[in-house]
Amino acid sequence: MSKDSRSPVGARAATGNGNGNDADTYGWDTAFAINFTNANTAITEAWPNVNSGAKNLVQQASDDPTYNINAVLGPWQFTVGGDGKNIRMACPVVSGVYNAGGDGTIQFDGKNCEIVIEIGMEWVPDPDQFSFVISDQAKVDTIKADLDNNTIDSTLQQEFSANNMPLSSDAVARVQTAGEEWLITDGTPSFYIFHSTDKYNNEFLNVYQFEKAWLNDLQALQAAASEDEPAVSIITIVNNPATGIAAAVLPDLLSTWFNANIAEFNHVFASLDLTPLVSADDKYAWMKPTATSYAVTDQGTMDSSVFGVLTMALGNPPSDNHQVSPYAIPAAPAQAGFLISGPMFMQNMMLPGAMAIFNNAPASSFDIDNDGLTVRNNTDLVWGKFMMDNNQQGSVPDNGYSAQLDQGILPDDLVNDLTMIGVMVQGYSVSVTDAGSQWLLSTQDGSAYEYILNLDGSNIDVYLATVVTIAKGNFTMTLVHSYIEIEFTDLVYPYSSSYDVHADYTEQVTLELQTLDGNQVFWADPVTQKSLVVNVTKTQSAITREIVEGAVTAVLSLVAIAGPIIEGLQAGTEITELSEDAGQGMIEMKTFSQVLNENPEATEQDALEAGSNAADQSSGKLTNIKNAFGTPMWKFVATLAALSGAVVGGDQAISAIIENAVTKQWQNVPGFDDFANAAIVPYTWPSVSGYTLQSASLAGSLQIGLTVDQ
């Protein structure tokens, strides 16, 4: 495998939608998109198994039965011309006859006749939702009149029974909007009835079973019904074999049939199943659709036009915007795309990453704001407890103390030895941070200094624990189009008794699918943008340029350990403020980029060191403060990998994932393939045996690109 010379992680797969545009979900939680060409191929190949109701067109005119049609339809096909929720399909008439009253019988065989329809997708019932349509005009008139009097008449009773859903004698009807909408309650089951009219003045009563999962879709349907918008409109009849009056009557017959059989749209896509096969664990319930809609974007050609399945999860109300992004499918070779909205991605994938950065802080410590695109801490947080070289208090011989410390015992002899080097820990308690090698000494009430005991051969090194905190609202992780921006604002720690150091650190991390030792992993592009502002404030001594420069050098140890990088960044530091009480040094992103690119080997060394520290921290060990700013990326990216694995039953610790990544054991890091497959399982189309993962990246949403396995 070839290695990217800038990177410790290796070669990158093709990513992004290829145009730099955001792949918007328009307020929906997820969107699945496939181009017209592949969707039509799938429909055609599965047509023998599609419900016969979608194939057999049988309809007669209600006012003159001598006008009737009995024909067989071929595979319905997407065609250009639709927009948003209004989808156009071409339905070829393969064979059959049209009895046109006095005009005789018209044969369809060999005529290449095609009916182009436009479907209002809000009228299509959800998969598994009980529904039917009453199209007989006499029945519609009778039923409407009685429903307006809150009466369920025998005609309506018979229609329910004919559709294998008989109503009991306790069923009650209530008018919602006279002449347009009614609600029937029959114990637990409830049914909405909507009235609609097509442009030929044919009237329909559309009956939909009500369940909580379908409430959002029914609310959208209420708006459509109030506008008297038919479910299906006949756009044109290509190669119409009829002429004269027969040609004028034919669209009327077709409109009646298609509107009465609106549910057949789901039979065309017979294996569309919106129940993802993901873990039953509640933390993955966000992947399960609870409301569905459909949309198209006409891009002028079959290959570029997009059909989308739009879903909401967790009972969230559906968006009023019934659109699928023209950029939902990434660049070739992708033929399909799956989008997880920015807010869903941040809430369910990046929030756990933020929690990991702060050593498993609870989710309640963070808010999601900025329209759902920013994770922000809502309370003061401890970022970490670190060892600092200048805070080493000395060393004492082990003398068997480590075994007792592992048992949570602070031996009196050790207390005496520590006293000899000026460390007073009488009454302290022991926390094991890394069995056999490291321990934390603290008071019960937390009112005194904490000390880190770190075993080094036969000696125990003693460090004053440097506790680094971040104030409420001063840590953010934000989705900014194609990258994640991590910001620490005014991170404070005392560097000496003479001054405090305040650091503002920003890092922009690009996430993308990377092929690593044959394993496809959703990981960070190692070339990231960084900036650093260091403020120094007076505690005792007056601030001088030398103190500011020294503080900058100290803070750079949080960014890097390699001398060439620190030296290069020092040289690029701009001292922007200087007074007796405070001073400021700033290193811009372009300086970081230049220095990192000029030192590829040192950059890789720093990245690996940060990864090792992140793995240690994730397992509970306290590390040296050097390269501390390098650990957040490793922690949240490893969390994404852990989430990907957990969706399909994996249970790998974040520390183990980081360790495997650092040592380049990528085959042991959870791949993104299983996560993508789990997300895409609901959208298994007829004749589509599966999908091959091609890309994953950020484009205002999490965008997964796939090719279709026919």
Side-chain angles (χ1 to χ4, degrees):
M1 181 184 67
S2 63
K3 297 286 184 181
D4 186 325
S5 62
R6 302 170 301 172
S7 162
V9 295
R12 296 188 298 273
T15 60
N17 55 33
N19 48 45
N21 294 294
D22 280 357
D24 200 339
T25 61
Y26 296 108
W28 295 87
D29 288 337
T30 67
F32 172 81
I34 187 170
N35 65 26
F36 283 10
T37 299
N38 282 284
N40 284 342
T41 299
I43 297 169
T44 299
E45 294 188 3
W47 195 249
N49 301 318
V50 168
N51 188 295
S52 61
K55 304 174 183 178
N56 298 314
L57 195 166
V58 180
Q59 187 66 47
Q60 67 179 19
S62 59
D63 56 348
D64 187 351
T66 63
Y67 284 87
N68 60 80
I69 184 172
N70 190 329
V72 176
L73 298 178
W76 299 13
Q77 301 280 274
F78 289 109
T79 189
V80 296
D83 180 58
K85 64 183 178 181
N86 297 316
I87 296 175
R88 288 197 180 182
M89 301 196 77
C91 306
V93 184
V94 176
S95 62
V97 296
Y98 169 31
N99 296 310
D103 291 333
T105 299
I106 299 171
Q107 297 286 337
F108 286 103
D109 304 57
K111 298 294 191 337
N112 295 320
C113 179
E114 196 172 65
I115 307 162
V116 179
I117 62 174
E118 186 167 279
I119 308 168
M121 293 309 301
E122 72 275 23
W123 289 92
V124 177
D126 270 16
D128 299 326
Q129 183 179 15
F130 172 77
S131 69
F132 64 92
V133 180
I134 303 170
S135 59
D136 183 284
Q137 191 63 60
K139 292 181 179 179
V140 169
D141 291 342
T142 300
I143 294 171
K144 277 179 56 181
D146 287 332
L147 284 173
D148 276 345
N149 290 314
N150 295 325
T151 299
I152 301 173
D153 61 21
S154 59
T155 304
L156 183 56
Q157 288 273 11
Q158 291 167 7
E159 289 295 319
F160 270 89
S161 296
N163 286 279
N164 300 313
M165 186 69 75
L167 296 174
S168 75
S169 58
D170 295 326
V172 175
R174 293 186 180 88
V175 176
Q176 305 299 300
T177 304
E180 296 294 334
E181 179 189 348
W182 305 267
L183 172 65
I184 291 179
T185 304
D186 188 12
T188 301
S190 297
F191 306 89
Y192 270 92
I193 302 178
F194 298 101
H195 171 258
S196 64
T197 306
D198 69 9
K199 67 180 180 180
Y200 308 103
N201 294 318
N202 299 308
E203 295 184 78
F204 308 93
L205 294 177
N206 297 71
V207 181
Y208 297 86
Q209 186 176 2
F210 169 75
E211 287 187 11
K212 185 176 181 180
W214 301 318
L215 173 61
N216 296 326
D217 287 346
L218 289 173
Q219 289 172 336
L221 186 54
Q222 285 175 316
S226 66
E227 297 169 0
D228 255 353
E229 180 181 325
V232 182
S233 297
I234 307 300
I235 301 303
T236 189
I237 302 173
V238 180
N239 295 324
N240 189 345
T243 59
I245 296 176
V249 173
L250 183 56
D252 190 340
L253 291 175
L254 296 175
S255 180
T256 299
W257 186 83
F258 278 106
N259 277 285
N261 290 275
I262 184 63
E264 296 304 332
F265 182 90
N266 276 329
H267 294 304
V268 171
F269 306 105
S271 63
L272 177 63
D273 175 13
L274 296 175
T275 307
L277 301 178
V278 296
S279 169
D281 193 314
D282 286 345
K283 64 184 174 182
Y284 299 112
W286 63 275
M287 293 184 66
K288 181 176 180 179
T290 55
T292 310
S293 187
Y294 307 87
V296 293
T297 293
D298 180 2
Q299 293 286 87
T301 69
M302 300 298 287
D303 285 341
S304 61
S305 295
V306 179
F307 171 72
V309 182
L310 315 175
T311 66
M312 301 301 291
L314 302 174
N316 294 331
S319 171
D320 293 332
N321 197 334
H322 292 258
Q323 294 188 64
V324 59
S325 171
Y327 310 114
I329 302 175
Q335 300 163 323
F338 185 74
L339 309 178
I340 296 176
S341 74
M344 287 288 283
F345 172 69
M346 296 303 294
Q347 176 69 49
N348 297 285
M349 302 186 78
M350 293 309 299
L351 173 58
M355 294 160 60
I357 289 172
F358 289 93
N359 302 314
N360 299 315
S364 60
S365 296
F366 302 90
D367 291 329
I368 309 289
D369 55 24
N370 182 29
D371 292 331
L373 299 180
T374 295
V375 177
R376 186 186 309 274
N377 65 312
N378 59 28
T379 186
D380 294 349
L381 289 176
V382 173
W383 180 37
K385 298 177 181 179
F386 298 95
M387 297 180 291
M388 291 179 62
D389 291 342
N390 66 325
N391 278 340
Q392 184 174 356
Q393 307 298 295
S395 297
V396 297
D398 181 2
N399 292 335
Y401 298 145
S402 56
Q404 294 173 283
L405 290 168
D406 275 346
Q407 299 175 35
I409 299 171
L410 181 58
D412 290 339
D413 288 346
L414 175 57
V415 172
N416 293 333
D417 287 349
L418 292 174
T419 300
M420 296 296 294
I421 61 172
V423 176
M424 309 300 178
V425 292
Q426 185 69 44
Y428 275 58
S429 59
V430 179
S431 298
V432 180
T433 54
D434 189 44
S437 67
Q438 190 185 80
W439 308 267
L440 179 69
L441 303 185
S442 309
T443 58
Q444 293 293 333
D445 59 6
S447 60
Y449 290 124
E450 293 180 301
Y451 295 95
I452 300 170
L453 306 184
N454 202 63
L455 185 64
D456 183 11
S458 60
N459 291 324
I460 296 177
D461 295 336
V462 184
Y463 292 86
L464 180 65
T466 299
V467 180
V468 182
T469 60
I470 189 81
K472 173 182 177 180
N474 282 7
F475 167 81
T476 60
M477 293 179 70
T478 302
L479 172 58
V480 185
H481 307 297
S482 61
Y483 57 87
I484 296 295
E485 184 168 87
I486 305 171
E487 285 189 284
F488 290 87
T489 302
D490 198 28
L491 187 146
V492 184
Y493 67 97
Y495 189 74
S496 75
S497 60
S498 297
Y499 59 89
D500 289 336
V501 172
H502 306 251
D504 295 348
Y505 178 77
T506 300
E507 181 173 14
Q508 295 174 356
V509 180
T510 301
L511 298 172
E512 56 186 26
L513 191 69
Q514 301 190 44
T515 302
L516 304 158
D517 289 345
N519 194 17
Q520 289 185 292
V521 181
F522 191 50
W523 205 259
D525 183 337
V527 180
T528 56
Q529 298 294 312
K530 310 170 190 281
S531 67
L532 178 66
V533 177
V534 178
N535 287 281
V536 185
T537 56
K538 172 182 176 180
T539 56
Q540 294 181 19
S541 302
I543 300 300
T544 65
R545 172 175 286 273
E546 289 72 24
I547 287 177
V548 175
E549 290 173 345
V552 170
T553 301
V555 174
L556 284 174
S557 71
L558 275 70
V559 179
I561 60 167
I565 292 178
I566 292 178
E567 291 167 7
L569 293 174
Q570 282 174 330
T573 303
E574 180 182 1
I575 305 300
T576 57
E577 294 180 13
L578 187 62
S579 70
E580 182 178 319
D581 294 323
Q584 183 182 89
M586 179 174 65
I587 306 174
E588 296 180 335
M589 283 188 175
K590 62 182 180 181
T591 303
F592 266 100
S593 297
Q594 180 180 353
V595 171
L596 295 178
N597 288 331
E598 289 174 351
N599 298 276
E601 293 182 0
T603 299
E604 180 168 349
Q605 178 189 349
D606 280 340
L608 294 176
E609 180 72 19
S612 297
N613 288 347
D616 287 342
Q617 291 172 20
S618 296
S619 64
K621 189 173 182 179
L622 306 180
T623 62
N624 195 292
I625 201 167
K626 290 179 179 178
N627 217 325
F629 276 134
T631 62
M633 183 197 74
W634 286 90
K635 288 183 179 180
F636 86 75
V637 174
T639 300
L640 291 178
L643 287 169
S644 301
V647 167
V648 290
D651 188 25
Q652 193 172 153
I654 292 174
S655 58
I657 292 173
I658 298 174
E659 185 65 36
N660 285 323
V662 169
T663 57
K664 297 184 174 65
Q665 301 297 311
W666 291 104
Q667 70 276 12
N668 296 324
V669 175
F672 198 66
D673 309 62
D674 288 336
F675 176 86
N677 289 334
I680 299 301
V681 158
Y683 311 97
T684 302
W685 297 69
S687 82
V688 174
S689 60
Y691 303 89
T692 299
L693 177 64
Q694 295 293 329
S695 64
S697 59
L698 300 179
S701 58
L702 171 59
Q703 182 179 47
I704 301 170
L706 311 112
T707 50
V708 179
D709 303 332
Q710 298 288 350

